[in-house]
Amino acid sequence: MSIISNEEEKLASMKEMMDNIAHQWRQPLSQINSIVSVLDNRLYELNIDDEIINEKLLEIEKLTKYMSDTIDDFKGYFDEDDTKKEFVINDVIEDVVSVIGSSLKKDAIELRVSTDGCYTLYGYPNELKQIIIVLVNNAKDVLLKRNVHQAKIEISLKEDLESYVIEVCDNGGGMTRTVMQKIFEPYFTTKHKSQGTGLGLYMSRKIIQERFCGSLSVRNIYNGVLFSITLPKGGING
Ligand SMILES: Nc1ncnc2c1ncn2[C@@H]1O[C@H](COP(=O)(O)OP(=O)(O)OP(=O)(O)O)[C@@H](O)[C@H]1O
Ligand SMILES: [Mg+2]
């Protein structure tokens, strides 16, 4: 079996696994949420207002929301509707901003976008959008965890000779060499297991390589990290 078909097979079985998990988890997740609201009501009826109970219930809600968001993210990677088409890269970036802009604002993280032109590409816009969201969410997690003052995320788009380049950078303090060597490995995460699967960057690189014939690279910059997505103008696979 060739390496390519082996890779394709792995991607297909991952999609199947994702569909199964999504299917099986949605129901219990929404049940957990209704249990929480039953408890909420019960406490209200009994006139109990306890700080710790309230806090813990809120935590359960947050965790279940995180889990269902993760399911949506992964399913988004394999969106059946995402057919190959001509799209404007700038629109994809605008989409990302409209999806996560307000949550960043809420967390006092500044999001800047800069482009040096308007560029079209032939490929899979939804997959590209998911990948930029993975990068921005990773930056957001680091900025919040490290409690960075004047936290900032910047997305930029520019044209190179043979490709378009999307960069996502932050001022979150960067990563050690040991972490950097591992971030594209499946299941590598520095987050608590309830908060990170460690699949985000692994999947993102895979999709950029296989679907866009491009590359995803990373380097530390003076006060953070810079991820760079290179999308060749001509070479779109699939
Ligand atoms: N902008 C960043 N600054 C510092 N470290 C980062 C940054 N982006 C990613 N990382 C590191 O790379 C690791 C792997 O990222 P990846 O997106 O693959 O998984 P995750 O974010 O840990 O989990 P998931 O994406 O499933 O929630 C992270 O746990 C974090 O340690
Ligand atoms: Mg991630």
Side-chain angles (χ1 to χ4, degrees):
M1 196 185 292
S2 80
I3 292 172
I4 296 286
S5 69
N6 197 5
E7 286 295 308
E8 275 170 4
E9 218 167 73
K10 270 197 255 165
L11 204 64
S13 73
M14 209 174 236
K15 172 181 160 37
E16 203 183 311
M17 183 183 83
M18 239 36 257
D19 283 346
N20 286 336
I21 294 177
H23 184 75
Q24 288 179 5
W25 283 16
R26 262 187 224 292
Q27 182 70 13
L29 280 174
S30 78
Q31 273 172 332
I32 293 172
N33 274 337
S34 13
I35 294 170
V36 169
S37 68
V38 169
L39 291 177
D40 247 349
N41 286 334
R42 186 72 187 140
L43 290 170
Y44 183 76
E45 281 165 18
L46 296 173
N47 222 346
I48 298 172
D49 189 11
D50 182 85
E51 205 177 310
I52 293 178
I53 297 178
N54 292 342
E55 194 187 299
K56 292 297 162 195
L57 287 176
L58 216 65
E59 256 174 55
I60 297 176
E61 263 171 345
K62 269 196 201 154
L63 286 171
T64 53
K65 175 159 189 327
Y66 173 79
M67 287 170 80
S68 65
D69 286 351
T70 307
I71 292 174
D72 290 341
D73 278 0
F74 282 136
K75 280 191 72 65
Y77 281 128
F78 301 109
D79 198 335
E80 303 285 355
D81 299 338
D82 203 23
T83 47
K84 202 167 153 189
K85 56 184 166 228
E86 191 164 75
F87 68 95
V88 178
I89 305 177
N90 307 59
D91 292 347
V92 171
I93 295 175
E94 274 315 304
D95 260 8
V96 172
V97 174
S98 73
V99 173
I100 42 184
S102 60
S103 101
L104 291 176
K105 209 176 213 166
K106 201 177 85 233
D107 289 320
I109 297 171
E110 187 189 341
L111 178 62
R112 281 195 206 161
V113 175
S114 68
T115 53
D116 70 359
C118 193
Y119 306 115
T120 55
L121 196 66
Y122 192 64
Y124 303 90
N126 185 58
E127 291 183 0
L128 183 61
K129 179 173 124 190
Q130 294 301 327
I131 289 161
I132 303 172
I133 290 177
V134 165
L135 299 180
V136 173
N137 275 333
N138 279 345
K140 173 188 162 188
D141 291 344
V142 165
L143 291 164
L144 291 181
K145 189 172 165 202
R146 296 183 182 163
N147 211 357
V148 172
H149 183 57
Q150 293 189 325
K152 232 179 291 173
I153 300 175
E154 224 175 309
I155 307 174
S156 72
L157 166 64
K158 52 193 173 205
E159 183 179 19
D160 248 6
L161 221 54
E162 286 172 353
S163 46
Y164 300 112
V165 181
I166 301 171
E167 291 180 342
V168 177
C169 70
D170 61 66
N171 60 346
M175 52 182 109
T176 64
R177 192 199 288 247
T178 329
V179 167
M180 193 173 279
Q181 278 166 349
K182 293 193 178 140
I183 56 169
F184 294 109
E185 289 174 11
Y187 306 110
F188 175 80
T189 180
T190 55
K191 294 167 193 170
H192 185 268
K193 64 177 181 300
S194 68
Q195 270 152 24
T197 62
L199 284 173
L201 290 174
Y202 167 72
M203 295 290 293
S204 299
R205 175 177 260 183
K206 212 171 163 57
I207 288 165
I208 291 292
Q209 289 172 340
E210 288 175 13
R211 297 281 249 181
F212 290 88
C213 286
S215 62
L216 173 62
S217 61
V218 63
R219 65 186 163 90
N220 274 323
I221 49 173
Y222 68 103
N223 57 358
V225 155
L226 185 145
F227 280 93
S228 188
I229 305 171
T230 303
L231 305 163
K233 291 176 186 171
I236 300 295
N237 246 352

